[in-house]
Every structure is written in structure tokens, then in C-alpha cells.
Amino acid sequence: MSITPEETDTTRSRPPWRDILVWYMRLLAIHLIGAGIIHWGRIVGYSKWRGLWIWEMPVEWQTVTAFFAVIDLVAAIGLWLTVSWGVVIWLVRVLTQVVMHAIFWETFGKRPWEITFLLTTVAIYFVLTWLAERERQRE
């Protein structure tokens, strides 16, 4: 199978996979900063959740609100800096949310679209990481 001139031009005009991975991680970081701010807004009494203030929420929802308020911002910092601990914390966050809505759905509700979104973001991350590593090995 030979490479056509068009394929070569496309490959050369595309940024390296490592750069695409970095920007993907930073996009995830921006998303997590927004989510963390929303959780902190609930904690400090700026916004309600389903019409309830933080002190009116069930204890399990108060707990996950505080948990995600912290872990979202910590993961966002790590992802923005593109350090390995940021990815690990983000994966723990994703796993926690998937478990919440897949196993403990009676308490936290079923959210199949959210689970699909989260697992898709993880799959994209691993594909980009694989492509970046494969490209690095060819250099």
C-alpha cells in the first residue's frame, strides 16, 4: 500500500498528535473548571441544585457535591499542566461518577447520556495518547 501525495500533505499539515493531546487535555480542564465552579457555587449558597440549597440536600448529595467541588478543580489543574497525576485524578473522578449513576442509580439517578459522554472522553484520551506515542516512536 503506497502513500499518495495528498496523504503526505495532510499528515504534514496536521499538528503532531502530542500537541492535539495537550489541547484535548486543556479542553477537559476547562470543562472541569466550569463543573468545579458550579459545585462551589452550590456549597457557598450561590446556586441551588434541583431547587434545594446545600443544607437542604440529602447527605449523600452534599457529600458528592463537596467531593466534586474539590476533585474537579484539582484534576483541572493537573490536566492543564499535562501531568500524569492530573490524568489519574480525572480518571478517578470519571470512575466515581460512572459508579454513582450505574451502580447507585437509585440514590443518584440514571444518567446514561452522561455515562456515555464520560466514557467517550476517556476513550478519546487513550486513542490520542496511543497515536502520540506511536508518532514519537517513529521519529
Side-chain angles (χ1 to χ4, degrees), residues 22-23 25-27 29-30 33 75-83 86:
V22 167
W23 285 107
M25 291 171 72
R26 291 190 172 163
L27 183 66
I30 291 168
I33 289 169
I77 291 167
L79 287 171
W80 187 269
L81 296 174
T82 66
V83 292

Side-chain angles (χ1 to χ4, degrees), residues 76-106:
I77 291 167
L79 287 171
W80 187 269
L81 296 174
T82 66
V83 292
S84 59
W85 60 262
V87 174
V88 171
I89 292 173
W90 170 62
L91 291 172
V92 167
R93 183 228 186 270
V94 167
L95 179 64
T96 302
Q97 199 160 6
V98 168
V99 168
M100 277 174 49
H101 297 300
I103 296 174
F104 299 107
W105 61 268
E106 292 170 342

Side-chain angles (χ1 to χ4, degrees), residues 2-122:
S2 64
I3 297 176
T4 65
E6 294 86 24
E7 290 174 327
T8 304
D9 291 340
T10 305
T11 304
R12 288 184 189 152
S13 65
R14 172 188 52 75
W17 286 114
R18 174 70 187 151
D19 292 349
I20 295 170
L21 175 62
V22 167
W23 285 107
Y24 181 71
M25 291 171 72
R26 291 190 172 163
L27 183 66
L28 288 172
I30 291 168
H31 170 74
L32 289 174
I33 289 169
I37 289 171
I38 289 170
H39 289 297
W40 276 106
R42 291 177 184 150
I43 290 171
V44 300
Y46 181 75
S47 64
K48 293 181 176 184
W49 169 81
R50 297 184 183 176
L52 299 173
W53 295 107
I54 187 91
W55 53 87
E56 299 169 333
M57 289 181 192
V59 172
E60 54 273 5
W61 275 103
Q62 291 176 355
T63 304
V64 296
T65 299
F67 173 77
F68 286 120
V70 173
I71 201 167
D72 284 355
L73 296 180
V74 173
I77 291 167
L79 287 171
W80 187 269
L81 296 174
T82 66
V83 292
S84 59
W85 60 262
V87 174
V88 171
I89 292 173
W90 170 62
L91 291 172
V92 167
R93 183 228 186 270
V94 167
L95 179 64
T96 302
Q97 199 160 6
V98 168
V99 168
M100 277 174 49
H101 297 300
I103 296 174
F104 299 107
W105 61 268
E106 292 170 342
T107 303
F108 299 107
K110 286 185 180 179
R111 294 191 180 165
W113 292 109
E114 192 168 343
I115 291 171
T116 303
F117 171 76
L118 292 169
L119 295 178
T120 301
T121 61
V122 171

